């Protein structure tokens, strides 16, 4: 891939789906391993992924959960559009389990991925689809802390891979599948000439997972310090302590 191509989205046009790897993982307190295919997301699974994220990610992610985003149709629809558009960039990955009945593969986990570019840093977190005030506040909090992290200067790069959420279906949690999805960024980075990845990790669980996968913390902010334009706490009573921007080299 040439440098000029690196500034174009989508990275990959819809078509042949690349399989990154097959993994076998075993849930805690179980003996039988489960086998998953980690691959790019085919077009006919886009809406399945969007529904998964709207159902599970919004319900579980600390900031979304704190503001009860799952009960706000405007909030959910904004992120629905964001995820739908991001998948068209061609980087997002999902873990699929075989259907024992021979049907369509079962979506077990997903990581919605895109690129951030130095020359268009102000567009790194595109809020145009977010009509909800809470949704805009969440993205602004991420954008502000990401700018403080300054991944471009830290690693000397002009682009990096970032994410709009990682989620594992409740039925497949406890098998380290999230870690497998994070590690797949190494394969993606080498394939598409993306040397660095950086993401906002919002809970202690995801932060520890990222550390185990080689991520370092660039900047951290406590949620209680995050204020909206009126000077009110953005996430009052949130169950997690802080938001961390974490990053790692991919090659």
């Amino acid at each position: 891939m040439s440098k000029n191509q690196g500034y174009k989205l989508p990275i990959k046009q819809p078509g042949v789906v690349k399989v990154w790897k097959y993994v076998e993982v075993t849930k805690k307190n179980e003996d039988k391993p489960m086998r998953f295919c980690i691959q790019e997301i085919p077009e006919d699974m886009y809406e399945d992924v969007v529904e998964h994220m709207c159902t599970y990610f919004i319900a579980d992610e600390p900031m979304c959960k704190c503001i009860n985003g799952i009960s706000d149709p405007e909030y959910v629809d904004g992120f629905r559009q964001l995820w739908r558009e991001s998948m068209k960039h061609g980087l997002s990955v999902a873990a699929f389990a075989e259907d024992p009945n021979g049907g369509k593969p079962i979506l077990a986990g997903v990581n919605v991925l895109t690129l951030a570019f130095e020359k268009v840093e102000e567009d790194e977190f595109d809020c145009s689809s977010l009509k909800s005030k809470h949704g805009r506040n969440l993205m602004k909090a991420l954008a502000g802390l990401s700018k403080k992290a300054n991944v471009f200067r830290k690693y000397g790069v002009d682009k990096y891979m970032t994410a709009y959420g990682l989620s594992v279906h409740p039925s497949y949690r406890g098998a380290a599948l999230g870690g497998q999805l994070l590690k797949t960024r190494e394969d993606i980075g080498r394939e598409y000439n993306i040397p660095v990845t950086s993401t906002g990790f919002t809970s202690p669980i995801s932060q520890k997972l990222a550390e185990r996968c080689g991520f370092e913390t660039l900047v951290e902010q406590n949620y209680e310090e995050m204020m909206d334009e009126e000077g009110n706490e953005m996430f009052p009573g949130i169950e997690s302590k802080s938001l961390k921007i974490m990053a790692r080299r991919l090659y």
Side-chain angles (χ1 to χ4, degrees):
M1 177 181 291
S2 72
K3 186 173 181 179
N4 289 337
Q5 285 178 307
Y7 284 101
K8 293 180 180 179
L9 289 172
I11 295 297
K12 178 180 179 296
Q13 295 291 339
V16 177
V17 173
K18 181 179 288 293
V19 173
W20 295 112
K21 56 188 173 183
Y22 290 91
V23 297
E24 283 193 352
V25 294
T26 305
K27 292 180 69 173
K28 294 179 180 178
N29 302 320
E30 292 189 9
D31 297 324
K32 186 178 179 180
M34 296 180 292
R35 191 168 189 260
F36 299 95
C37 173
I38 298 182
Q39 62 174 70
E40 296 173 339
I41 302 171
E43 285 183 274
D44 63 359
M45 292 294 292
Y46 281 5
E47 290 307 307
D48 298 72
V49 169
V50 168
E51 289 308 312
H52 169 99
M53 294 295 284
C54 289
T55 300
Y56 300 110
F57 182 85
I58 293 180
D60 297 336
E61 190 282 320
M63 292 187 289
C64 297
K65 184 177 180 180
C66 175
I67 58 182
N68 196 25
I70 196 72
S71 298
D72 181 351
E74 191 173 57
Y75 185 93
V76 174
D77 187 63
F79 282 98
R80 183 190 304 275
Q81 298 303 321
L82 179 67
W83 288 319
R84 192 175 281 148
E85 289 302 310
S86 297
M87 279 189 289
K88 294 178 182 178
H89 298 166
L91 292 175
S92 298
V93 293
F96 293 97
E98 292 183 0
D99 183 347
N101 298 316
K104 187 165 68 171
I106 300 169
L107 179 63
V110 61
N111 196 190
V112 180
L113 301 168
T114 186
L115 287 184
F117 300 114
E118 185 176 24
K119 292 184 178 180
V120 289
E121 185 176 5
E122 65 273 13
D123 296 326
E124 179 183 340
F125 291 94
D126 181 6
C127 297
S128 61
S129 67
L130 304 177
K131 308 304 179 184
S132 161
K133 178 182 177 181
H134 286 310
R136 292 193 300 272
N137 281 343
L138 184 152
M139 296 302 280
K140 286 178 181 177
L142 283 166
L145 206 58
S146 291
K147 287 183 179 180
K148 288 182 181 179
N150 202 339
V151 175
F152 305 110
R153 183 174 61 190
K154 165 76 175 176
Y155 293 98
V157 296
D158 57 6
K159 62 180 179 292
Y160 66 86
M161 189 188 315
T162 189
Y164 287 131
L166 186 156
S167 175
V168 174
H169 191 283
S171 298
Y172 299 99
R173 292 174 187 171
L177 192 55
Q180 293 290 346
L181 287 167
L182 272 183
K183 291 176 182 177
T184 303
R185 295 191 197 184
E186 298 174 21
D187 302 304
I188 300 169
R190 285 191 294 267
E191 178 72 16
Y192 296 118
N193 191 29
I194 307 166
V196 170
T197 185
S198 178
T199 306
F201 291 90
T202 62
S203 74
I205 294 174
S206 65
Q207 291 160 4
K208 290 178 181 177
L209 176 64
E211 287 178 3
R212 290 197 295 269
C213 292
F215 285 72
E216 62 176 324
T217 299
L218 303 185
V219 64
E220 178 179 8
Q221 186 175 17
N222 290 338
Y223 289 114
E224 64 183 17
E225 299 171 349
M226 299 179 184
M227 304 293 171
D228 62 19
E229 295 176 354
E230 287 77 39
N232 302 311
E233 285 190 43
M234 286 187 183
F235 309 105
I238 191 169
E239 295 175 358
S240 297
K241 177 186 176 182
S242 65
L243 167 63
K244 292 183 178 183
I245 303 299
M246 304 178 72
R248 61 157 295 186
R249 287 195 180 275
L250 298 172
Y251 60 82

